[in-house]
Amino acid sequence: MCLHKEAFFYLLSETTQQFHPDLELDHDLKDVLRRQNGELFHVSIDNSNHKLRMYGSAEELRENINIYENFPGNHEFFGISGEPYQTNPIIFKSLKNDQKYIAKSDLFVILQNMIVHLPGERLGQIIRRVVMFLKSKQARFKKVTEFVKFDEARFEEMYEKMKEDEPKRKLSPEDTNNLRYILFQHFANVPPGDDYDEEEWATNYRASCILIDILKEIIDENPDLFLPRTEDSGEPITVRVFEDGNQQFLMTSEVSEALKANLTLNKLLETISLEEVFKNFDSKNIEFIRYPILRAKHRATPIPISTQEIPNEFCILAIDTFFEFFKELILGFKYFQKADSNLQEVLTVLKVVFELDCTTPYFLRCDETEKMLDNFMSHLKNVPAKNVRNAKSDGFTVQNLKNELAYLGLTAPFPEIQDYAEVVYAEVEKRKKEEILRSCDLFDAVEHCQLNCILERLPELKTFVHNQKGCHRVYGFKCEECAAENAKNQENQKLSILEKELEELKIAYQKVFEERQQKSLEIQDLHHKIWRLSVKNETNEVKMKQLTEKLTKSELSIDCDIACTSSASQLKIQCLICEKSIESGEVPIIRCPLCKRRFHSKCAINWLKEHKECPACNGDIPKD
């Protein structure tokens, strides 16, 4: 039943009557969730008398509905509040540091799924009672757009608690008395002959009461997860940042409420760019949640909205409403194939709902498409129109497409429509899902040929689609403004590349410059070392000379048998700075504190004015 309702919302209004799920599902939970295997889709498509061909295979339809129906609070949108939750909880990332966040409404889905995966079998009756309890708790939220950090470890602990506690729990005396009263009331109203097993019914009721008691405890122990955020809460205020392609924007009403800013709000669900928020508001205490805009092939995924000004509702971007409206009009209602179609009438209807001159993204409520279609239902609903024929087993060609446009009678309202066949065909060929082009691809080609004609005839709509960043979604559409922007973007890109290359050259030059400076310092250091070694060598040469002279004199003394007295044998010491001898007893002199070498006082003073090292031992001479 849930899948039938979801499909009812996804399919075009003119094809919903073809979706007849004839499967007999029992009340076991596994059968309730059996939609995952696609059996229902195969049955419905096979029994649709070819009316669902535009949706492709059963697997494709299932995949698209799964994308379309998966959003927080979808049970309210689809009107399936009495059934188990049918959504998969979505993990979102924060803008600052990619931390994991989850919508608080999805936490109740996780609790349901924990119950489902507990050991043992549980009938659908038990699960439904548990889910009704969870949904009653979730109803305390005034808004479904509140987010909280997702800590997987906490939920593992909750699941372990469920597994441990359930087998141990028994009904309290109060619950037992309640059970007796409920059983009495229930079976007193059971008509005779109805196949009710009182014991089985009581067993199921006990099981659901025990599970609900465990869930009560878990919810009470984790108020930060399962209760609405309060003013004195330590949790950050969360605001969604919608991401669509390279666009990042926020809903103005959400920004106004979160930042307590007095922003002007009108009937439109307007947006404000993330850049503007950072520029104009103090947002340091806000946690921005990245919220991607999702789209199935034929419809956009609804987005829940909930602020003080706008209670729980659902919306999609205006550009998505635009394309969904024309898909309904072109393929569902076949409006332009009918003799009384009027393009200006369509424009008049659009102007009531859309702000066609708005240059920023904005949202519209999901029911706007249906309201607009009501304007055409009364006088053209029963006017006959031809259906798109099946593609051949080997696909279709450009000429086949042109023939189909003529067969459908579209050359009458749009004589130029066949001129778009080639560019549209090329795009359809690029996007095909199978090896050959199928009937669903032919539906796409017919739709986009008409869209090209409509946008070229109505400049206001062409400008609107461009301003709302939707030109690329029309196959083969040529937008002059996009082309000009692309040319400008290419120039900016080239400039950006040149600036990047220049910056890289600057960095490279700076690196070379620093390397040269380092080498220059190294060369200076080497020169200094060479000089010190040169001085040392000179000192050594002087010492060698002195030793040689001493040895020579000694040899001469021995040869001449001259005995020298101690006073006569004293060697004269040379000052290494001026290379003159220091006569014995000569004053003043300065002695190196390191090597004890003596120098003329005047020579040493002049030397130290330009050097720090001793000319004899090359040691650093203390300043004192």
Side-chain angles (χ1 to χ4, degrees):
M1 184 179 70
C2 296
L3 179 58
H4 180 258
K5 287 193 175 182
E6 292 164 1
F8 183 86
F9 278 83
Y10 180 75
L11 300 178
L12 299 187
S13 57
E14 290 297 303
T15 60
T16 51
Q17 64 269 27
Q18 306 301 330
F19 194 80
H20 293 300
D22 296 325
L23 296 179
E24 302 233 343
L25 298 178
D26 58 35
H27 293 294
D28 185 87
L29 181 67
K30 289 185 175 62
D31 287 326
V32 173
L33 301 177
R34 196 170 67 185
R35 64 192 175 89
Q36 297 297 331
N37 65 19
E39 184 178 353
L40 187 58
F41 294 96
H42 285 285
V43 172
S44 296
I45 287 180
D46 291 344
N47 295 337
S48 69
N49 194 27
H50 303 294
K51 297 296 184 181
L52 300 178
R53 293 170 297 143
M54 64 176 289
Y55 299 103
S57 66
E59 289 74 18
E60 287 173 288
L61 179 56
R62 178 190 63 189
E63 179 184 343
N64 280 305
I65 290 182
N66 284 345
I67 294 170
Y68 172 70
E69 59 89 26
N70 200 46
F71 54 92
N74 72 349
H75 61 281
E76 295 183 11
F77 180 80
F78 293 120
I80 49 177
S81 297
E83 297 297 321
Y85 289 106
Q86 300 293 314
T87 184
N88 295 318
I90 303 170
I91 301 298
F92 298 91
K93 298 290 186 70
S94 66
L95 189 67
K96 291 178 185 175
N97 46 21
D98 274 356
Q99 282 189 319
K100 292 181 179 180
Y101 276 78
I102 187 169
K104 282 191 173 182
S105 57
D106 274 351
L107 297 181
F108 295 92
V109 183
I110 293 178
L111 291 181
Q112 168 194 274
N113 295 345
M114 287 181 181
I115 296 292
V116 171
H117 287 89
L118 286 174
E121 294 291 329
R122 284 167 188 78
L123 296 178
Q125 296 172 357
I126 298 174
I127 300 302
R128 281 189 176 85
R129 290 192 188 100
V130 170
V131 171
M132 291 305 292
F133 164 75
L134 290 174
K135 288 184 177 178
S136 70
K137 292 295 183 182
Q138 184 188 339
R140 293 179 297 180
F141 285 93
K142 292 182 179 179
K143 50 193 288 189
V144 295
T145 55
E146 194 172 319
F147 296 82
V148 68
K149 283 184 183 178
F150 180 67
D151 184 352
E152 195 167 348
R154 289 179 71 176
F155 288 95
E156 291 290 346
E157 291 173 7
M158 295 176 199
Y159 181 62
E160 292 302 318
K161 175 182 172 66
M162 288 182 187
K163 281 204 301 185
E164 291 175 10
D165 286 5
E166 187 195 15
K168 303 174 186 176
R169 293 291 182 101
K170 293 182 179 179
L171 284 184
S172 65
E174 182 182 354
D175 288 332
T176 303
N177 290 331
N178 288 339
L179 175 59
R180 291 195 186 99
Y181 176 76
I182 291 170
L183 287 173
F184 175 78
Q185 292 291 326
H186 177 76
F187 288 102
N189 297 320
V190 174
D194 280 18
D195 189 15
Y196 275 97
D197 186 328
E198 182 174 345
E199 184 60 33
E200 180 183 351
W201 199 93
T203 300
N204 292 338
Y205 181 82
R206 286 191 196 96
S208 59
C209 286
I210 288 171
L211 290 172
I212 288 171
D213 281 344
I214 295 172
L215 289 172
K216 281 180 182 176
E217 290 180 10
I218 290 174
I219 291 172
D220 291 342
E221 290 168 1
N222 298 274
D224 59 318
L225 298 180
F226 300 106
L227 291 178
R229 184 186 180 279
T230 56
E231 289 294 328
D232 57 350
S233 172
E235 303 170 50
I237 299 173
T238 55
V239 180
R240 294 177 293 182
V241 177
F242 297 99
E243 297 182 324
D244 187 20
N246 59 2
Q247 298 182 93
Q248 287 184 312
F249 48 86
L250 299 84
M251 204 171 285
T252 307
S253 57
E254 290 187 6
V255 173
S256 179
E257 186 171 297
L259 298 175
K260 301 193 182 307
N262 236 348
L263 299 179
T264 304
L265 305 174
N266 60 24
K267 66 175 183 177
L268 288 178
L269 298 172
E270 295 177 322
T271 66
I272 180 172
S273 72
L274 182 62
E275 185 181 355
E276 287 181 83
V277 171
F278 285 153
K279 180 179 178 182
N280 299 321
F281 302 100
D282 180 10
S283 57
K284 61 185 178 183
N285 295 324
I286 302 295
E287 193 68 60
F288 293 103
I289 308 300
R290 300 172 64 183
Y291 198 105
I293 301 292
L294 299 178
R295 298 181 178 94
K297 182 177 179 183
H298 304 90
R299 291 193 188 276
T301 301
I303 296 167
I305 51 174
S306 184
T307 60
Q308 291 179 352
E309 291 80 11
I310 308 167
N312 291 340
E313 289 194 40
F314 298 87
C315 66
I316 56 176
L317 282 173
I319 188 64
D320 291 318
T321 304
F322 176 88
F323 284 121
E324 287 184 15
F325 168 74
F326 274 105
K327 190 178 290 289
E328 288 273 11
L329 206 62
I330 290 170
L331 296 180
F333 198 45
K334 306 182 186 69
Y335 178 75
F336 297 105
Q337 295 175 234
K338 299 177 179 180
D340 294 336
S341 63
N342 185 330
L343 203 52
Q344 288 301 320
E345 181 187 12
V346 174
L347 180 61
T348 301
V349 170
L350 290 174
K351 284 182 176 181
V352 174
V353 176
F354 291 89
E355 292 287 343
L356 296 178
D357 56 351
C358 185
T359 58
T360 57
Y362 62 95
F363 294 91
L364 291 172
R365 291 172 177 81
C366 288
D367 59 358
E368 293 294 352
T369 298
E370 186 177 348
K371 291 178 182 177
M372 288 188 289
L373 288 172
D374 287 343
N375 292 277
F376 306 97
M377 297 292 278
S378 57
H379 62 289
L380 288 179
K381 181 174 175 60
N382 297 320
V383 177
K386 294 178 179 178
N387 293 321
V388 175
R389 294 175 292 188
N390 285 327
K392 298 177 183 177
S393 58
D394 59 348
F396 63 90
T397 64
V398 174
Q399 188 57 50
N400 293 145
L401 174 57
K402 290 181 178 180
N403 294 342
E404 192 66 22
L405 295 171
Y407 166 78
L408 295 172
L410 291 169
T411 52
F414 304 119
E416 74 281 15
I417 194 168
Q418 292 180 329
D419 297 339
Y420 296 103
E422 288 189 16
V423 290
V424 170
Y425 181 90
E427 286 297 321
V428 171
E429 177 75 24
K430 283 183 196 174
R431 300 165 193 249
K432 66 182 181 182
K433 292 291 183 71
E434 294 189 4
E435 189 176 348
I436 61 170
L437 291 170
R438 298 170 292 160
S439 297
C440 58
D441 300 312
L442 185 57
F443 274 90
D444 292 342
V446 169
E447 175 192 0
H448 286 271
C449 283
Q450 293 180 68
L451 280 175
N452 273 279
C453 293
I454 293 165
L455 294 180
E456 288 298 339
R457 289 194 178 194
L458 298 175
E460 289 176 86
L461 297 189
K462 187 175 183 179
T463 301
F464 167 79
V465 170
H466 172 77
N467 288 338
Q468 298 299 316
K469 311 297 182 190
C471 297
H472 66 284
R473 294 171 63 178
V474 182
Y475 297 178
F477 180 58
K478 294 180 180 179
C479 173
E480 295 79 7
E481 291 186 61
C482 283
E485 287 180 3
N486 289 338
K488 186 176 180 180
N489 289 338
Q490 287 177 359
E491 289 179 7
N492 291 337
Q493 191 174 7
K494 288 179 182 178
L495 182 61
S496 178
I497 292 171
L498 289 173
E499 289 175 349
K500 185 178 179 182
E501 290 176 351
L502 179 60
E503 189 62 30
E504 289 174 351
L505 286 173
K506 286 180 180 179
I507 293 170
Y509 171 78
Q510 183 65 24
K511 186 177 179 181
V512 170
F513 177 74
E514 289 173 358
E515 287 175 352
R516 287 184 177 178
Q517 275 192 322
Q518 182 63 29
K519 287 180 180 178
S520 178
L521 292 173
E522 290 173 1
I523 290 171
Q524 288 180 10
D525 189 50
L526 286 173
H527 279 255
H528 187 60
K529 288 179 180 178
I530 292 170
W531 180 83
R532 291 177 64 183
L533 289 172
S534 176
V535 171
K536 192 170 183 179
N537 288 339
E538 289 176 4
T539 303
N540 291 335
E541 287 176 5
V542 170
K543 288 180 179 180
M544 288 288 291
K545 183 178 179 182
Q546 290 173 345
L547 289 171
T548 302
E549 289 176 354
K550 184 176 180 182
L551 182 60
T552 301
K553 288 180 180 179
S554 179
E555 288 175 351
L556 288 173
S557 298
I558 293 170
D559 291 343
C560 300
D561 294 323
I562 299 173
C564 298
T565 63
S566 59
S567 60
S569 62
Q570 287 181 347
L571 292 173
K572 292 181 180 179
I573 298 172
Q574 187 181 37
C575 173
L576 291 180
I577 299 172
C578 67
E579 297 184 352
K580 293 181 182 180
S581 298
I582 300 174
E583 299 296 336
S584 179
E586 183 178 348
V587 290
I589 62 170
I590 291 178
R591 187 189 297 272
C592 173
L594 303 174
C595 65
K596 310 304 180 184
R597 183 77 181 199
R598 288 177 290 176
F599 308 93
H600 291 122
S601 177
K602 185 176 181 181
C603 295
I605 291 170
N606 290 333
W607 172 270
L608 289 173
K609 288 179 180 178
E610 298 181 1
H611 306 85
K612 296 179 181 179
E613 306 87 359
C614 169
C617 67
N618 291 323
D620 290 336
I621 299 173
K623 294 182 179 180
D624 295 337

